[in-house]
């Protein structure tokens, strides 16, 4: 059913249709509206979940860990400091192979404290064993939650999934969204049947101490599962489009006007809407530009991106996060995949933008295309204000 | 002792470990229809080294400080499945995980009213990492991070009043217990399990390695702590003191002299007096002294 509504409300609606048994969260801007809506739904009896109001994000993540281990579908949502506060629990959830689903309302991290959007929070957790899917708009954000449960709960997978949506831009943005009907959700997403669970009928121990004789293999099998899941995603996406009529292809990347392009921007999330606008405008003027949008950041679809970019002469990666002291995170991944390959872009430049909510405008995108030239950029930022960078200390 | 189906022998606890004995008594008293969430610490390490486990009940270890929150999630899931009435949930951990790093999660669990029994195994230091002080380490204890020296006679503060902190949440049941009084511990666990809502039991469990006493002295050390008034056994119901085990108090030296961690106090009457004051204060506060019959009455 098509509705014009706030992104957070749309997420709450789709989570309601997934019928999690346990929901637990702790408030942090810009995630709050999602969990407030869910609390209201539980309060009205529309959603038959146990809503556990915890005293911290560490406990929110621990509660959904416990709920999932006890065999029910679970949900949580957070942002920024909250995500970081969850960190050790998130690694733990993945290590225990629990198919928890969470929304990350992407937000900058302190210091200085800043509640606005960038993607530093989730990107910093890229090594945790969680899938990370980045939505461009609210329809995708909604749909990706359904795909997230299907993917995570797949018996071949059994891993947690994070749906990343840009804070404020999407969470607080009003858009028309097709809210999936319950019947269709039931068809696409069957009730959760755990592979194993905490149950007195069949007592098992979870979370054992693994010494050097056993630990490595636990990591290796998650790595293998992640790699295999690159293939499972297209199957799940096909089933999704059969039921809902929206086709996300392989769910790994979106190629936007890449054919014959000589300059391409690689990016993730809502900024891709702005990039598409500029690409269309440039194409209308005969300029050969395009966009490669990454949807699945973890697992990182190396082969798919290689195929998409191998014949593109100049590539700019636009990161909304930094790895201080090193190449920007997505740029580093893209650069590394071409090492030693037969075909490769001549230039892969890296630009960091939109940190702490600085608006990425169509002019920013024009600027990225302009600066994408023969000279490779490696530590460039866009939209910096030189007047704020003047040295003010000294004698 | 015969092998328990709920906490099997063959684990790797040290000889004379009070925590291993107490943990077994707790799970046997709670019964097979119990799910346990365990913090990181000695108990977790010695009972579940992959590929083996001592546990005959469903058991989960996640992290050092979150068993109260993990148990909250388990309890919520059982409620959702309509199975809560049939299954007990226990969260447990050492003194460090309960009173320090996990206090927030524990307080949250108590405040939210989950139907969970929390058991704190109090061996009075971070034993798993090599005997560092915790918030439940007693006054003047020699540990690796409160070492005695020319300027120090050990841990500078008395034990954090965890039972009172928990009782202040207004929960139905709080108790202290001791590995030296097994029947009392079993009774308290059974009583707690039968009560709906959040419960907290803190069990004093000697650690031969960390306290530096002979491993065959575990029971007598535990008993001496209670009999000197240094580890009073009591019960709170809904925030009010409801019962206590009365004693004929022995001087604290009877307890201190058994353990290497207090050796530096033995020829130090000034410091020993401070420890005696703590015991006397407990005796007064909890009214521990057995009334002797007045002569001729
Ligand atoms: C977040 C975190 N900090 C520190 C540790 C290291 N650590 C593991 S067990 C432990 C000591 C446990 O002490 P306690 O809770 O008293 O249990 P005990 O081993 O004494 O039974 C510590 C400090 C950890 N695992 N996780
Ligand atoms: Mg301890």
């Amino acid at each position: 059913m098509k509705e014009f509504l706030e992104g957070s409300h749309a997420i709450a609606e789709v989570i309601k249709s997934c019928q999690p048994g346990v929901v637990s969260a702790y408030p942090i801007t810009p995630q709050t509206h999602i969990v407030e809506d869910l609390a209201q739904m539980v309060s009205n009896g529309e959603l038959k979940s146990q809503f556990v109001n915890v005293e911290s994000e560490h406990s929110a993540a621990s509660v959904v860990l416990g709920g999932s281990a006890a065999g029910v579908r679970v949900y949580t949502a957070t942002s920024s400091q909250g995500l970081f506060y969850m960190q050790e629990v998130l690694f733990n959830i993945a290590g225990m192979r629990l198919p928890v689903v969470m929304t990350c309302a992407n937000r900058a991290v302190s210091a200085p404290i800043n509640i606005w959007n960038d993607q530093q929070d989730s990107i910093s957790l890229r090594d945790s064993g969680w899938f990370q899917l980045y939505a461009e708009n609210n329809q995708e954000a909604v749909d990706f939650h359904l795909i997230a449960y299907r993917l995570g709960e797949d018996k071949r997978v059994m891993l947690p999934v994070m749906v990343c949506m840009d804070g404020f831009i999407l969470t607080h943005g009003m858009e028309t969204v097709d809210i999936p009907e319950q019947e269709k959700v039931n068809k696409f997403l069957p009730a959760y049947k755990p592979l194993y669970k905490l149950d007195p009928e069949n007592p098992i121990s979870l979370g054992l101490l693994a010494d050097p004789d056993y630990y490595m293999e636990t990591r290796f099998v998650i790595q293998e599962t992640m790699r295999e899941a690159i293939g499972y995603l297209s199957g799940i996406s096909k089933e999704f489009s059969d039921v809902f009529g929206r086709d996300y292809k392989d769910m790994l990347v979106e190629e936007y006007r890449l054919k014959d392009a000589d300059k391409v921007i690689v990016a993730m999330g809502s900024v891709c809407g702005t990039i598409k606008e500029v690409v269309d405008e440039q194409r209308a003027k005969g300029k050969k530009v395009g966009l490669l949008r990454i949807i699945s950041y973890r697992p990182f679809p190396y082969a798919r991106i290689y195929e998409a970019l191998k014949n593109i002469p100049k590539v700019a990666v636009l990161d909304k996060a930094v790895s201080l002291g090193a190449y920007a995170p997505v740029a580093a991944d893209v650069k590394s995949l071409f090492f030693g390959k037969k075909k490769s872009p001549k230039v892969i430049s890296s630009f960091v933008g939109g940190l702490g909510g600085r608006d990425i405008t169509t002019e920013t995108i024009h600027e990225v295309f302009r600066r994408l030239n023969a000279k490779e950029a490696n530590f460039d930022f866009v939209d910096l204000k030189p007047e704020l960078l003047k040295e003010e200390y000294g004698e | 002792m015969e092998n328990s189906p709920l906490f099997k022998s063959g684990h790797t606890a040290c000889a004379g470990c009070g925590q291993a004995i107490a943990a077994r008594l707790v799970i046997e008293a709670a019964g097979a229809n119990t799910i346990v969430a365990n913090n990181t610490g000695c108990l977790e390490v010695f009972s579940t080294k992959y590929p083996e486990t001592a546990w005959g009940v469903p058991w989960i270890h996640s992290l050092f400080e979150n068993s109260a929150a993990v148990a909250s999630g388990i309890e919520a899931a059982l409620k959702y499945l309509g199975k809560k009435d049939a299954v007990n949930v226990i969260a447990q951990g050492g003194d460090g995980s309960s009173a320090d790093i996990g206090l927030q999660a524990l307080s949250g669990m108590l405040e939210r009213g989950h139907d969970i029994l929390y058991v704190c195994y109090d061996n009075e230091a971070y034993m798993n990492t090599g005997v560092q002080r915790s918030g439940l380490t007693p006054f003047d204890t020699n540990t690796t991070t409160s070492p005695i020296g020319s300027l120090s006679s050990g841990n500078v503060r008395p034990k954090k009043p965890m039972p009172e902190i928990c009782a202040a949440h207004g929960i139905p049941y709080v108790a202290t217990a001791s590995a030296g009084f097994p029947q009392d511990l079993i009774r308290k666990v059974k009583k707690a399990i039968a009560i709906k809502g959040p419960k907290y039991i803190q069990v004093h469990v000697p650690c031969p390695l960390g306290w530096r006493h002979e491993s065959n002295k575990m029971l007598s050390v535990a008993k001496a702590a209670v009999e000197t008034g240094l580890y009073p056994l009591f019960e709170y119901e809904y925030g009010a003191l409801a019962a206590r085990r009365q004693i004929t108090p022995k001087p604290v030296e009877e307890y201190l002299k058994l353990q290497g961690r207090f050796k530096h106090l033995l020829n130090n009457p000034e410091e020993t007096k401070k420890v005696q004051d703590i015991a006397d204060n407990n005796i007064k506060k909890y009214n521990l002294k057995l009334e002797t019959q007045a002569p001729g009455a």
Side-chain angles (χ1 to χ4, degrees):
Chain A
M1 198 176 43
K2 288 216 158 101
E3 283 180 59
F4 184 69
L5 75 184
E6 193 195 73
S8 298
H9 192 58
I11 299 307
E13 287 291 337
V14 75
I15 295 305
K16 181 176 84 179
S17 71
C18 295
Q19 300 174 324
V22 175
V23 175
S24 185
Y26 188 82
I28 182 166
T29 303
Q31 152 264 35
T32 40
H33 289 182
I34 301 173
V35 294
E36 287 167 2
D37 281 350
L38 287 169
Q40 187 66 59
M41 289 167 178
V42 171
S43 203
N44 295 347
E46 291 167 60
L47 171 59
K48 302 230 171 324
S49 301
Q50 291 291 316
F51 190 98
V52 186
N53 267 309
V54 281
E55 80 301 330
S56 72
E57 286 89 356
H58 197 283
S59 286
S62 301
V63 163
V64 294
L65 182 156
S68 184
V72 308
R73 182 173 288 156
V74 297
Y75 174 75
T76 187
T78 191
S79 249
S80 179
Q81 309 310 127
L83 191 75
F84 281 15
Y85 198 26
M86 284 184 178
Q87 169 167 343
E88 62 163 352
V89 191
L90 299 185
F91 276 73
N92 209 255
I93 287 170
M96 294 175 95
R97 309 298 296 253
L98 298 171
V100 175
V101 167
M102 80 142 79
T103 311
C104 176
N106 284 111
R107 163 183 155 178
V109 297
S110 281
I113 191 165
N114 174 301
I115 61 168
W116 293 274
N117 166 251
D118 64 33
Q119 296 168 343
Q120 188 72 55
D121 49 1
S122 54
I123 284 184
S124 299
L125 287 182
R126 64 190 183 176
D127 303 330
S128 61
W130 283 63
F131 286 84
Q132 289 194 4
L133 307 175
Y134 286 76
E136 177 182 331
N137 53 45
N138 285 340
Q139 185 67 62
E140 283 194 357
V142 164
D143 293 346
F144 288 3
H145 282 86
L146 293 171
I147 290 170
Y149 278 115
R150 263 299 296 273
L151 172 65
E153 293 172 3
D154 191 311
K155 298 286 176 283
R156 300 166 298 179
V157 176
M158 294 301 287
L159 281 172
V161 186
M162 191 184 298
V163 177
C164 303
M165 61 190 294
D166 287 316
F168 289 112
I169 301 168
L170 296 184
T171 55
H172 290 53
M174 301 288 291
E175 287 178 26
T176 300
V177 171
D178 193 351
I179 300 294
E181 283 103 31
Q182 189 65 57
E183 261 170 72
K184 290 184 180 174
V185 172
N186 295 347
K187 205 164 148 203
F188 176 70
L189 182 68
Y192 174 49
K193 289 203 190 68
L195 269 180
Y196 50 82
K197 62 175 178 183
L198 295 167
D199 177 9
E201 303 278 305
N202 178 29
I204 54 166
S205 295
L206 295 176
L208 277 63
L209 170 76
D211 69 11
D213 283 336
Y214 295 101
Y215 183 86
M216 282 250 289
E217 286 71 17
T218 69
R219 285 297 171 273
F220 177 75
V221 293
I222 294 176
Q223 181 75 313
E224 288 294 291
T225 302
M226 279 257 173
R227 276 152 44 90
E228 287 159 11
I230 286 178
Y232 308 153
L233 268 166
S234 53
I236 294 171
S237 172
K238 170 80 173 59
E239 280 188 53
F240 184 88
S241 89
D242 288 347
V243 176
F244 297 100
R246 287 182 293 277
D247 188 0
Y248 296 110
K249 307 275 167 43
D250 56 21
M251 272 298 292
L252 302 173
V253 298
E254 181 195 5
E255 296 185 23
Y256 191 77
R257 307 189 81 165
L258 281 197
K259 247 209 183 111
D260 78 2
D262 47 40
K263 284 186 176 186
V264 166
I265 295 180
V266 177
M268 306 197 295
S270 64
V271 70
C272 294
T274 312
I275 300 173
K276 285 175 180 172
E277 217 180 299
V278 174
V279 166
D280 289 347
E281 192 191 314
Q282 296 272 46
R283 284 274 180 183
K285 291 183 190 159
K287 299 242 170 76
K288 292 179 178 174
V289 295
L291 161 73
L292 181 74
R293 177 165 72 96
I294 296 175
I295 297 172
S296 170
Y297 175 55
R298 287 294 180 272
F300 195 74
Y302 291 99
R304 187 67 187 77
I305 295 177
Y306 175 74
E307 287 305 319
L309 297 180
K310 66 183 181 190
N311 295 317
I312 309 290
K314 296 195 184 79
V315 169
V317 183
L318 179 56
D319 268 276
K320 286 174 86 170
V322 267
S323 175
L324 296 170
Y327 289 153
V330 182
D333 285 344
V334 172
K335 279 169 185 283
S336 74
L337 80 89
F338 284 104
F339 183 79
K341 287 284 190 319
K342 275 211 184 69
K343 292 183 175 171
S344 166
K346 297 270 169 310
V347 172
I348 301 175
S349 278
S350 164
F351 299 95
V352 170
L355 299 188
R358 183 147 312 164
D359 208 10
I360 297 187
T361 62
T362 52
E363 183 42 43
T364 313
I365 304 304
H366 283 294
E367 171 78 5
V368 170
F369 278 126
R370 273 197 298 274
R371 283 161 66 175
L372 179 55
N373 49 40
K375 191 170 171 289
E376 187 166 278
N378 275 323
F379 294 96
D380 282 23
F381 281 50
V382 286
D383 294 332
L384 284 177
K385 296 183 180 174
E387 69 274 20
L388 294 183
L389 294 170
K390 283 196 207 110
E391 290 218 32
E392 297 208 345
Y393 15 60
E395 303 298 284
Chain B
M1 280 194 264
E2 78 283 13
N3 204 355
S4 158
L6 304 184
F7 188 73
K8 301 180 210 48
S9 63
H11 56 70
T12 57
C14 307
C17 170
Q19 187 166 200
I21 288 167
R24 176 181 158 169
L25 294 172
V26 167
I27 196 58
E28 282 178 350
N33 277 329
T34 305
I35 298 177
V36 178
N38 212 126
N39 280 333
T40 309
C42 282
L43 174 59
E44 163 264 325
V45 168
F46 72 63
S47 68
T48 60
K49 187 168 168 295
Y50 186 84
E52 278 160 349
T53 177
W55 297 91
V57 292
W59 180 95
I60 184 170
H61 159 251
S62 166
L63 293 161
F64 185 25
E65 68 278 45
N66 69 349
S67 71
V70 170
S72 299
I74 293 167
E75 185 248 25
L78 291 171
K79 267 194 196 151
Y80 174 74
L81 296 169
K83 290 186 184 166
K84 181 61 204 77
D85 288 342
V87 182
N88 313 310
V89 180
I90 291 180
Q92 59 185 19
D95 50 291
S97 72
S98 307
D100 293 342
I101 194 168
L103 180 56
Q104 170 179 303
L106 170 57
S107 172
M109 179 205 110
L110 301 179
E111 170 266 324
R112 288 189 301 269
H114 293 280
D115 186 18
I116 298 172
L117 167 61
Y118 191 99
V119 182
C120 167
Y121 297 98
D122 183 10
N123 56 21
E124 305 192 317
Y126 295 109
M127 294 312 181
N128 191 48
T129 39
V131 202
Q132 296 86 15
R133 67 140 337 252
S134 80
L136 287 187
T137 299
F139 176 72
D140 265 1
T141 308
N142 187 4
T143 75
T144 55
T145 53
S146 61
I148 55 166
S150 57
L151 300 178
S152 169
S153 76
N155 192 44
V156 294
R157 296 280 304 153
K159 289 170 78 72
K160 191 188 283 197
M162 276 299 285
E164 279 73 20
I165 290 168
C166 293
H169 288 70
I171 60 173
Y173 188 68
V174 169
T176 54
S178 165
F181 295 85
Q183 292 313 318
D184 179 68
L185 171 59
I186 292 167
R187 178 185 67 80
K188 284 169 176 165
V189 171
K190 288 200 161 142
K191 180 171 173 181
I193 286 286
I195 300 170
K196 244 193 151 63
K199 289 83 60 174
Y200 176 83
I201 298 182
Q202 180 173 305
V203 196
H204 198 222
V205 289
C207 168
L209 202 73
W211 296 8
R212 283 175 279 139
H213 63 75
E214 283 166 57
S215 41
N216 61 3
K217 292 273 159 50
M218 196 283 285
L219 284 175
S220 43
V221 170
K223 280 192 173 133
V226 173
E227 287 160 355
T228 51
L230 284 172
Y231 215 95
L233 301 185
F234 52 76
E235 295 166 88
Y236 278 98
E237 288 175 15
Y238 294 99
L241 194 63
R244 67 259 181 262
R245 167 180 283 265
Q246 291 196 305
I247 54 173
T248 307
K250 294 178 175 167
V252 294
E253 284 91 341
E254 298 293 308
Y255 176 61
L256 302 178
K257 71 179 185 197
L258 302 173
Q259 305 163 66
R261 63 175 176 159
F262 297 124
K263 198 169 156 215
H264 57 291
L265 301 180
L266 291 183
N267 298 313
N268 190 337
E270 205 184 314
E271 288 301 316
T272 303
K273 166 78 172 49
K274 291 181 191 166
V275 177
Q276 187 62 57
D277 286 348
I278 291 172
D280 291 346
N281 200 38
N282 284 339
I283 291 161
K284 217 169 95 195
K285 179 173 175 191
Y286 300 106
N287 187 19
L288 298 179
K289 203 168 183 168
L290 263 179
E291 299 300 330
T292 43
Q293 283 211 306

